[in-house]
Each structure stands twice: as C-alpha cells, then as structure tokens.
C-alpha cells in the first residue's frame, strides 16, 4: 500500500550522515541543544565508513610545532594548502585524540610507554597513531562515538535518504527525503542543518559504496560553492579481493613490482620509491604497463617478520578476510598478488568557513563533505578531519541555533522538491545502477582516471551530457531501494560533471592532479582553487587565489618535484 | 561478495537487515512457526511481521495489517496489559520490546486516516448486544465482511468499560469516540439507551422477529461486587465501578482527605490513582494478598507507586468506622491465608492483628460480575457466565454467540476483542452455511526455545513512553506521551523477528564489507572474499609501440 502522509520530524539541529563526522558533530551540538537528530541513509548507528576503517589517526601531539606540520602539508599539497583550516584541524586534533583515549580507546604504545606511530608518505612530521588489534580501530571508535551520542540523548534515525535541504530563500528551515526501504516521504523541520554526508564517489569495487555523491547534490542544489573537484582519489587495490593497510605496509618495506620483479617506483622517485602518495604510484603503474611491464603486483617479501606480524589483520572484517583468503590458498604477505588502481571518490567538497558554516545561512558542513585536500592521501588523516571539523561544526551549528528563532518550514515546497524524485518510484525503466556504472566507466578510462588529458576529459564530459539527456530521464525505480540508487545515479552524473569540468579547467599538474598534456606546475596561473556553484540553475565556475601572503608558510619546495615521468605528450 | 545464508542456522534475528550498509537483505516473516509474542497475544496479532514492516519504514502497512487481528490498536495501545511483552525473547538480551508503545503509534496513525464505508455484501442483519470491546470488535469485523450490523447498548454512549470505567487519563473519551465514529462510517448502527433481554426494552426474540438472523451477546461484567460489613452504608463509602463510572461523567465525586481503597487488582489501582487525582491527600490501598502476590499487573503497581499510593498488603476489611453517618476510618484484620485446602477462595484472618486507617472515603474494588438474568431464558448461563463453545463462541442457542467478560468472566480488553472477532467469523460462516469450526482449532506451533534468537545480540535500551505529571487543571488528561516517530522506529528495530528467515535480496549491491557475516549471531552468512571485478583501469592501457 502507498503511504501518503510521510513521516514528520522536528529538531533543533539536523545532522545528515551518521559517520564519524556526523557523530562528532551531533554529540558536541547536544552539549548545547535540547534536541539533535542524526539521520543516515544506511543503518541506524552504523558509523559510516569510519566503522569499517582502521581508525588510524594523524594527530599533532603537544610537543610538535604547528608550523612544522603545516610546512609538510604545503610541500605535500604543492602549495595548494588551505593553511587556515589545516592549522585548525591540526591544532584541535590532540583534544579529539584525548577524547578517544579518555573514553578508554588506547592507541598503541611501546614498552617504554611511548606512542607508536607510522610516518605518512615520507613526510617528516605527518604520522598516524594506531590501535591494536589491527582491524578493530574503526569498529571501536564507531562504538564509542555511538555510545557518547546515546549517552547525551542524540536522536538517531537510519534508512533515511535526504534529497534536499529546504530554505526560505535565505536560511535553512529543514530537509526532505524518503525512507530508503519504503519510499515514504520524510520531512524534517530544523533550525539548522549540518551536512556530514561525505562527498562520495563512484562506488568502487569494495567499500566506500555508501557515500555515493548524494551530499554533492544536496549542497549543490542548496547553493553551496564546491571546491577541489579536479582532484579524485585513485586507490591501488588488489584485483580480486579487498585489502586495506597499504599506508602502513609501504613504509614498512612493502613495494609494487612490475612483471620483471622491479621495484619500479625507485626509477620514478629514487628518494621515495613506493612510499609516496598512492597517486604517484598509480602514474608509475601506467608507465610500466605502457612499457609492456604489466601486470603490477604487491610484494611484502622485504618486510621484517615482526612487521608482518603487526600488520597481519587479526580481527574485524580485515581479519576475517585474511582468514578466508588463506583458506583459499591466498596468503597476502607470502604471495605476489596482482593490483590495480581504481577511482574511488572525489576530493572535492563544500566550501565552508573555519567553523563549518557554508554560504547558506544555518547550513553547516563537516568531515569529508568539505574535504580540504587537493588529491593526495595520508593514512589517518580522515579520522583527524572528521573528529575536528565534526566537533567544531557541531558546536558552531549549536550556537547558531541558540542565536536564531525557528523559521517556518514550507512543507509544500519540500514535497514539490521531493516529487521530482518520487515520480520515478514504481516506474520501470533504465536501471539506476547502469547509470552509476556508466559514470564509473567514464572515470576509469586511463586518460581520465590516472593520467588526465584534455581529450580524455572532453570525451568524458560528452558522455556525461549524453547520459544526462538520453538515459537519466528514462531511469526507473521499481521499489524504494532502487529509488535510493536512482538518487545516487543522478548525483553521480552531477559529480562526474563537476569533476571533469574542474579537471579540464586546471591546465597544469599539481598534487593529485596530473595532466599528461600539462605535466608542469604553473604557479603563475594556478596557485588557485577552482570553485563551482549553481546560480539561477546554471553552473558558475570561478577561481580563488590561495592567499599565500596571509599564511605562515610560503611554498618553497614541492612534493611533485621528487618524481620524474617519461614525457608522453607526443606519444600515441 | 555476499554469497549465501544457511536457512537452517538463521534464527531470523534480522541483524543483517538492520546492519548491512547497502541494505542487501530482506526478511521473510510469514512462517509456519510463530514467535513467542504472537503466541502470547490473546488476539494473535502478527507482531513479528508488524515490527518488521515498521523496521522497513512501512508504518501504515503495519497498521493496516494490525487491523486483521484487532481493530482498535489505538485502544489496546493504551490499555492492553500486553502479555506479549512478558514472553518477548528480547527480555533475555536486555529488556522486552515495548510492543505496546509501538502499537499505540500504529493506532494513533490510523486515527488520521479517514474511514471509508464498507461495501455491503449481505442482506442478513446481525445484532450485537453490548458495545464494550467485544461488541465493537464483532461489529467491526461483520461490517468489514459486508453485513448490516446494529449494536444495542443499555447506556447512553457506546464503549462499555472503555467508556465508563477505565479512567480517562489512561483512555481519553476522544479515543473511544473516534473509534465509534469509525464504526459508524463503516456503516454500523448504534442503538443506545436500549436494554436488551427479557423484561427489558427489547428481547432477543423481538430482535429475531425484526429480522436479525444472528445475535452476538457482549454484555460484559460491569456490576460491582459488594460486601456487607459494618458501616458500608455510611456516606463516603464507594463501590469501585460505580465510583469510576461517576468519575467519567460531568459530576465527579468530591474527594478530600485520606482515602482507603480495598482491593489489590487493577481496578483498585485505577480507583486509587483516580482518588488521588480528585484531590485526596493520602491514598492507601489494602488487599488480602501479600505484596508479591498482588493481582494488579506490575506496570499498574508501578504507576500507583509513582502517584504516591501507599500499599498495605495482607489485610482485609473488618468494619468501617463512622462519625455522624460519615466514614472516619476503617479497621482491617491481617489475612493469614487466602484459600482453603481445596484451593477455594476462603480468606482467614487473625483478628488480633489489626490495622487502623483514618479515612474520609473508602472505595471497594473487590471484583465485578455480570447481570445476565435477561438472557437466561435464551441461552445457558452457568456460574454467572454465558456458556460458549471454545472455538466458535456459539452459545447453547443456534444463531446466538457470546464473548467478552460475560462469557469468560472479568478478563481484558484484548480478550474481549479477540472473542468479538471470532464471533464475527462464526456468524459469517453460519450465515453462509459453511462449517463453523473448520480449521480454526488448529494452533500454529511456536518457534522452539533453542531456535530463538538472543545470543550475541547487541544491547539496545528500551524506549518508554514519557509519563506526564498530573496537571491540576486537567487531572484526567492523558497521562503518557506516545513514543515519537524516531523512538518508534528504534523500538521496532529492537524486535528480533524470531523465527523469520533472511533472504539475500539485492545481491549485486554488496560491497564486500563483511559486516553481515561478522554481525550474524548464528554464523549463518557466508561472504566470499572476492569482490566485484569492475571497474578496471590498467587493462585499458595499450602497450606503447617502441
Ligand atoms: C576500509 C577503510 C579503511 C579506512 N581506514 C582509515 C584509517 O585507518 N584512518 C583514516 O583516517 N581514514 C580511514 N578511512 C577513511 C575514513 O574512514 C573515512 O573517510 C571517514 O570515516 C569518512 O567520514 P565521514 O563521516 O566524513 O563520512 P562517512 O563515513 O562516509 O559518513 C557519511 C554518512 O552519510 C550518509 N549519507 C550520505 N548521503 C546521505 C544522504 N543523502 N542522506 C542521508 N545520509 C547520507 C552515509 O550513509 C554515511 O553513513 C578508511 C576507509 C575505509 C573504507
Ligand atoms: C476499572 C477497570 C479497568 C480496567 N482496565 C483494563 C486494562 O487496563 N486493560 C484491560 O485489558 N482490561 C481492563 N479492564 C477489563 C476490561 O475493561 C474488560 O475486560 C472489557 O471491557 C470487557 O469487555 P466486554 O465487551 O466483554 O464488556 P464491557 O466492556 O463491560 O461492555 C459491556 C457493555 O454491554 C452493555 N450491556 C450490558 N448488558 C446489556 C444489555 N442487557 N443490553 C444492552 N447493553 C448491555 C454495558 O452497558 C456495556 O456497555 C478493566 C476493567 C475495569 C473495570
Ligand atoms: S540469524 Fe544471521 S542471517 Fe538470520 S536474520 Fe539473523 S543475522 Fe540475518
Ligand atoms: S558484505 Fe557488507 S555490503 Fe555485502 S551483504 Fe554483507 S553487510 Fe551488506
């Protein structure tokens, strides 16, 4: 039977997304507010990707000097670091680290009681702290965050897909969506809304299928500016199975080998080898395959036995996975298994102030929904970002609520917006998954995914336009489950468009962005962020110069300069 | 990638449906073996399926499904003594699911849906005598089946004890009125102020003459039992049901000073709390039973305690003390035993052990009985009850059926509802000329103890309805707040849907996170470690020609 009336909720602060950032935000906001509601399209309380993660965490310990860490980041990000927000994240990281410790979550220490850490990407100061047994860090953190939310009386709701934030033209009044299993409309009146959806991506072969870029849709349609979409995460993964931990394995001696058994990254970067950011490894792989040296395998044979012991997962999904693989005769640490790069998600995010406030009054963003990184990766960084930005945005949103009266929520407007989607429910047509898959295929072309070219990006954009015009309107959702996928599909088209457009615009190479047709860095033109937003239904793209003068660290060295790539500009 | 579920191992706990991030699983709740709660529900409500539907966000569907078993969740969601919860397997994990609170949400939601008229399919008319829950339920199902139904009620308003005895703070007038209105919209006719029986306004044979081919008797048991001890005639002595009934009228009894309620059952609790709300300074409850054998349901005892009622267990009334014809107190004797050797109720007292309580009012709530003289000429009445057959609820007279307190003795709203429903089924079968019993006697088996979920289920705190403090301006305003929507969903999620079976439904959505296998308490799930092989990148690269 059709449920007609929908479910209605009212709250002081609506947090969208019950991952780490959402839980941090909700928990902190509840310290100030009577009522905080967290909704997630996934299960109630599941903890988002954090619950699957290793839970490794980058922290600026009190004895570290902020400028040293910023110096690392400015170098790593090839100058494109937003030093204000990065400074704040690092500064606040220790308090959040201590919150975990005070809740009983003890990071690993050595015999002398000193915290153990793993340096990241051959940087001097960026290092993550970890939990034992390996594989339980994320699960445990998720459990604790849920416990803290519960203790404080945060209300939590699962299986609720938010599709739009509702405003009165100026200020947020709530949000609208639907129940992901029944398709029943959901109306939430709120005095402020916090987006902790993660931006998400292209539903890779394992994990990270949950944030499927709906957050991008929501923010885009609310009128937020979006930044950094020319950067996307390419992650090197085993071809056959899931495995996480390379951020710890590579610094401990693991390597990628070509079919000749060569640790080929030494060739492209004698200094770093395979210890660098994964996107550089990816480029190395492309060059090797082009040279006929594929396939690429992962090799742990140079690791010390005690390190293998530390890094062999014992618990959680990683432990189970390893056990199953070994039962099938696959020993990750003893065999050389085939790997490949895979596009996962965007590094783009919502432009927000230090406190998480966006261009829309009363709308806040936290965690990976805002994403301050230009496409290079550090293990443990997401746990740090989600904790700090979640906590501070939760606090700021709470203060906003305290300082502003409730405004009327226009349910008719919300219903109208939702109907744009609900009209597909019960309709047969193109499977939304096919559209998502199509966008993923677009993004996986080597001249888009790995070494971008103008030609590849343009071809990708053409396909986006074709799918948007020809297939998207003909999609169908036979049930609510498919309707959720349909919203993902629509969002993925938008995401792909924003990503390819930004990447085509940045005619240079820097950090995670490598244009084979523009392999050099161009500080004169491109020490800038690219931002896009929707104005009167149209895309507006502009650039924002990095305010280097206002920053403590001036770029003087560049991570990308540690690599030498063969020049393929005129090849093929 | 998710591969299989072993159906023999799956206990139906639903952990997989509740935790899979990609929502790959669905439960099949329609199984031959029923859950313990369903077995315990006198109306046999499909609690397992309803809770699952709510888990799936299908609240209105759950509400509609509810109506197949019980038309008045809005009433039972407030007053049912919920024997289901005492059998809930979740109690072994942490606490029973708050089935009743969820039921109230379903009922309240139904209130918002306008009731459509039933399609008339039959010409034969049916008479229902008594408009308590048994009569109303019978009328509901008959009307749904398409029969023209008339309900005859002696009192001015329909509802029976729901309307006249159960205190309004537990069951507001509007709730009952709304249900009567739904019945009227459905097409049921009410004929109030009409006492049925011999020497009354209309007799059963009159009804037959008027063309009612079937009659359902549901006159309840609403006469207060009385005792005859010294002082019962004094001003300030009240009889439980009369007292409560008066409290639901516009002329409520005036109560001040201390009050003693005699009785330890649920009616006594209602009387005690009502007295408190009417302005009593102290309220005492005295009963023959010891504290742990008090007959009132524990949740009602707790309510009384919350309202500050003082218990005096193990005492029976000896005499009422009076001053100028008014109650001034009561003397009680300690009760030494309740039953005689043959197990018959025969309380013994130690007259040397006395309790003296000063009081300006004494309320007796020591039981109720039926008044069935008017029907004794038509159907067999034994020991104050109308004799009925077990499955069909048929009386000794063909075409006359009976249910509710008049047939069972004082019982409960839900039993009355279930009885009324079964009468309707019998009447339908009888009027159509079908076999009345059919397979109705067959009881579905319950999920065996060893196959019940419980072990390894994560703790989740039970959600309670908020108890509102009595408002001096509106002492009979409803005393609890329904669960809000979020709490209702969370509470339904606590249900372990015992005995269901999980099915992999959206296989292709699996992201190989292993959550389901790790979380399944029964080890029923197998996730293959190989993941999806798309999307490939390197194999698209051509080897450069050198
Ligand atoms: C296997 C694995 C291991 C990892 N290991 C580490 C590690 O060791 N250290 C580290 O720092 N990082 C690690 N990461 C990354 C890190 O866990 C995540 O980036 C981080 O937890 C993201 O947090 P978030 O709260 O911003 O987003 P998410 O966890 O993605 O949460 C966003 C939530 O929003 C919900 N949502 C999205 N859209 C909507 C919508 N429209 N309506 C309602 N809800 C919505 C989603 O369901 C999701 O629950 C790992 C990730 C994975 C997958
Ligand atoms: C104070 C009190 C509190 C209770 N609380 C609860 C509770 O919380 N939960 C619970 O489950 N149960 C409770 N009960 C018990 C419950 O109310 C009864 O079991 C239930 O109402 C019985 O339903 P019934 O339809 O058989 O009869 P009744 O509800 O008694 O209805 C019978 C109706 O028939 C009418 N009638 C009788 N004779 C004739 C006639 N000859 N002609 C026409 N009309 C006639 C009466 O006027 C009455 O309206 C309570 C009872 C009392 C007294
Ligand atoms: S026993 Fe396992 S497979 Fe069955 S419902 Fe529970 S979690 Fe799912
Ligand atoms: S492995 Fe993960 S995504 Fe797949 S069915 Fe199990 S819980 Fe769902």
């Amino acid at each position: 039977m059709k449920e007609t009336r929908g479910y209605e909720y009212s709250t002081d602060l609506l947090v969208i997304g019950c991952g780490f950032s959402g839980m941090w935000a909700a928990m902190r906001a509840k310290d100030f507010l009577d009522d905080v509601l967290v909704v997630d399209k996934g299960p109630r309380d599941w903890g988002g990707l954090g619950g699957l993660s290793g839970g490794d965490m980058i922290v600026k310990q009190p004895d570290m000097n902020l400028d040293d860490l910023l110096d690392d980041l400015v170098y790593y990000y090839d100058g494109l670091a937003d030093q204000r927000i990065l400074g704040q994240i690092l500064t606040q990281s220790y308090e959040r680290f201590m919150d975990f410790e005070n809740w009983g979550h003890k990071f690993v220490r050595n015999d002398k009681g000193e915290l153990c850490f793993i340096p990241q990407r051959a940087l001097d100061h960026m290092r993550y702290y970890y939990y034992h047994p390996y594989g339980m860090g994320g699960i445990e953190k998720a459990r604790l965050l849920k416990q803290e939310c519960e203790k404080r009386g945060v209300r939590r709701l699962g299986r609720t897909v938010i599709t739009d934030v509702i405003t009165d033209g100026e200020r947020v009044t709530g949000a609208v969506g639907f129940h992901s299993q029944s398709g029943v409309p959901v109306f939430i009146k709120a005095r402020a809304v916090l987006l902790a959806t993660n931006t998400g991506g292209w539903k890779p072969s394992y994990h990270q299928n949950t944030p499927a870029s709906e957050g991008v849709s929501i923010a885009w349609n609310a009128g937020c500016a979006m930044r950094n979409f020319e950067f996307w995460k390419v992650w090197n993964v085993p071809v056959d199975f899931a495995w996480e931990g390379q951020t710890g394995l590579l610094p401990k001696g693991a390597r990628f080998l070509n079919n000749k058994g060569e640790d080929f990254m030494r060739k492209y970067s004698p200094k770093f080898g395979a210890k660098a950011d994964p996107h550089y490894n990816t480029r190395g792989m492309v060059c090797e395959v082009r040279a006929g040296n594929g396939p690429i395998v992962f090799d742990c044979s140079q690791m010390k036995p005690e390190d293998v012991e530390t890094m062999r997962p014992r618990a959680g999904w990683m432990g189970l996975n390893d056990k199953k693989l070994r039962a099938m005769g696959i020993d990750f640490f003893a065999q050389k298994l085939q790997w490949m790069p895979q596009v996962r998600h965007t590094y783009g995010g919502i432009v927000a102030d230090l406190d998480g406030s966006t261009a829309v009054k009363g709308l806040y963003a936290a965690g990976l929904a805002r994403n301050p990184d230009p496409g290079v990766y550090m293990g443990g960084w997401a746990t740090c970002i989600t904790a700090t930005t979640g906590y501070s945005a939760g606090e700021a949103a709470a203060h906003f609520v305290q300082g502003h009266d409730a405004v009327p929520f226009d349910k008719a407007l919300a219903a109208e917006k939702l109907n744009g989607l609900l009209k597909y429910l019960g309709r047969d047509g193109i499977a939304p998954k096919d559209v998502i898959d199509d966008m993923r295929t677009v993004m996986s072309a080597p001249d888009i995914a790995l070494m971008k070219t103008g030609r590849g990006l343009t071809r990708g954009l053409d396909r986006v336009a074709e799918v948007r015009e020809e297939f998207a309107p003909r999609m169908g959702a036979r049930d609510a489950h498919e309707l959720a996928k349909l919203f993902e599909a629509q969002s993925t088209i938008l995401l792909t468009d924003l990503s390819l457009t930004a990447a085509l615009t940045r005619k240079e190479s820097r950090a995670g962005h490598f244009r084979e047709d523009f392999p050099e860095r161009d500080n004169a033109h491109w020490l800038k962020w690219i931002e896009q937003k929707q104005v009167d239904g149209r895309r507006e793209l502009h650039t924002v110069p990095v305010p280097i003068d206002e920053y403590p660290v001036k770029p003087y060295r560049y991570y990308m300069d540690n690599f030498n790539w063969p020049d393929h500009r005129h090849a093929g | 990638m998710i591969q299989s579920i072993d159906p023999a191992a799956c206990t139906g706990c639903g952990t997989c449906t509740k935790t899979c991030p990609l929502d790959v699983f669905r439960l099949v709740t329609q199984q031959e073996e029923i859950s313990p709660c369903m077995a315990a529900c006198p109306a046999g409500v499909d609690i397992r399926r309803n809770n699952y539907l709510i888990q799936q966000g299908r609240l209105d569907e759950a509400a509609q499904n509810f109506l197949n078993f019980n038309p008045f969740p809005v009433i039972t969601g407030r007053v049912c003594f919920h024997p289901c919860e005492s059998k809930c397997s979740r109690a072994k994990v942490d606490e029973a699911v708050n089935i009743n609170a969820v039921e109230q949400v379903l009922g309240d939601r139904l209130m918002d849906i306008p009731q459509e008229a039933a399609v008339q399919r039959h010409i034969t008319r049916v008479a229902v005598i008594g408009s308590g829950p048994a009569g109303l339920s019978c009328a509901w199902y008959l009307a749904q089946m398409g029969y023209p139904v008339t309900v005859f009620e002696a009192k001015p308003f329909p509802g029976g004890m729901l309307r006249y005895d159960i205190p309004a703070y537990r069951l507001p007038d509007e709730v009952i009125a709304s249900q009567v209105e739904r019945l009227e919209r459905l097409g049921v006719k009410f004929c109030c102020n009409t006492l049925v029986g011999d020497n009354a306004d209309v007799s059963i044979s009159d009804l037959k003459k008027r063309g009612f081919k079937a009659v359902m008797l549901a006159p309840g048991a609403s006469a207060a039992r009385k005792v005859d001890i010294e002082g019962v005639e004094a001003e300030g002595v009240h009889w439980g049901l009369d007292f409560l009934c008066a409290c639901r009228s516009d002329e409520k009894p005036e109560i001040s000073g201390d009050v003693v309620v005699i009785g330890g059952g649920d009616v006594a609790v209602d009387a005690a709390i009502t007295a408190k709300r009417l302005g009593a300074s102290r309220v005492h409850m005295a009963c023959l039973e010891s504290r742990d054998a008090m007959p009132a349901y524990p949740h009602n005892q707790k309510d009384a305690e919350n309202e500050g009622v003082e218990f005096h267990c193990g005492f029976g009334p000896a005499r009422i003390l009076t001053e100028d014809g008014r109650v001034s107190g009561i003397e009680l004797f300690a009760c030494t035993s309740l039953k005689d050797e043959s197990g018959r109720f025969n309380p013994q007292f130690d007259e040397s052990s006395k309790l003296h309580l000063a009081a300006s009012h004494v309320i007796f709530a020591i039981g109720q009985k039926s008044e069935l003289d008017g029907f004794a000429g038509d159907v067999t009445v034994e020991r104050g009850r109308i004799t009925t057959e077990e499955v069909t609820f048929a009386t000794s007279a063909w075409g006359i059926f009976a249910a509710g307190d008049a047939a069972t003795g004082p019982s409960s709203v839900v039993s009355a509802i279930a009885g009324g429903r079964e009468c309707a089924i019998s009447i339908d079968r009888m009027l159509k000329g079908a076999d009345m019993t059919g397979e109705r006697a067959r009881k579905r088996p319950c999920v065996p103890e060893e196959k019940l979920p419980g072990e390894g289920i994560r703790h989740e705190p039970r959600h309670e309805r908020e108890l509102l403090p009595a408002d001096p301006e509106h002492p009979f305003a409803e005393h609890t707040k329904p669960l809000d929507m979020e709490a209702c969903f969370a509470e339904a999620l606590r249900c372990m849907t015992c005995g269901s079976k999980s099915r992999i439904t959206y296989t292709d959505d699996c992201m190989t996170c292993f959550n389901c296998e790790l979380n399944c308490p029964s080890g029923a799930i197998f996730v293959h470690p190989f993941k999806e092989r798309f999307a490939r990148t390197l194999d698209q690269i051509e080897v450069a020609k050198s």
Side-chain angles (χ1 to χ4, degrees), chain A residues 21 195-199 226 348-351 365-371:
Chain A
S21 32
L195 284 169
T197 52
N198 200 339
T199 41
M226 314 294 280
I350 301 164
V351 177
L368 295 224
R370 48 182 306 184
N371 250 333

Side-chain angles (χ1 to χ4, degrees), chain A residues 259-396:
Chain A
N259 68 4
K260 297 184 177 137
E262 293 166 344
D263 175 3
F264 57 88
M265 281 310 293
R266 293 253 154 246
K267 203 162 50 184
Y268 304 113
S269 178
K271 182 170 168 195
F272 291 157
K275 278 201 282 272
D277 168 70
H279 301 84
Y280 293 96
N281 289 338
T282 294
R283 282 166 222 160
M285 291 178 193
V286 173
C287 296
E288 290 305 300
V289 175
R290 279 179 181 164
N293 296 338
I296 306 299
V297 297
F298 196 79
D299 169 45
C300 297
S301 64
Q302 309 289 302
M303 286 175 64
K304 291 193 219 120
E306 62 267 28
D307 286 339
V308 168
E309 268 319 285
T310 318
M311 299 307 289
R312 183 176 293 282
R314 308 265 166 216
W317 75 265
M318 303 199 209
L320 181 62
N321 185 38
D322 181 46
K323 211 168 88 188
K324 289 188 179 221
L325 289 169
R326 280 197 282 167
M328 292 171 65
I330 298 172
D331 186 340
F332 181 84
F333 293 95
Q335 294 166 3
K336 295 183 178 54
L337 300 161
Q338 197 184 331
W339 279 50
M340 65 169 182
Q342 193 167 66
V343 183
R344 289 184 94 81
H345 58 80
T346 174
Y347 271 104
I350 301 164
V351 177
D353 253 325
L354 275 186
D355 66 355
S357 55
T358 69
V360 182
K361 216 168 141 192
L363 182 64
Y364 289 75
L368 295 224
R370 48 182 306 184
N371 250 333
D373 308 326
V376 281
Y377 172 84
M378 295 176 291
W381 190 221
T383 309
C384 177
I385 292 181
T386 51
T388 51
T389 61
Y391 188 93
S392 57
E395 185 171 311

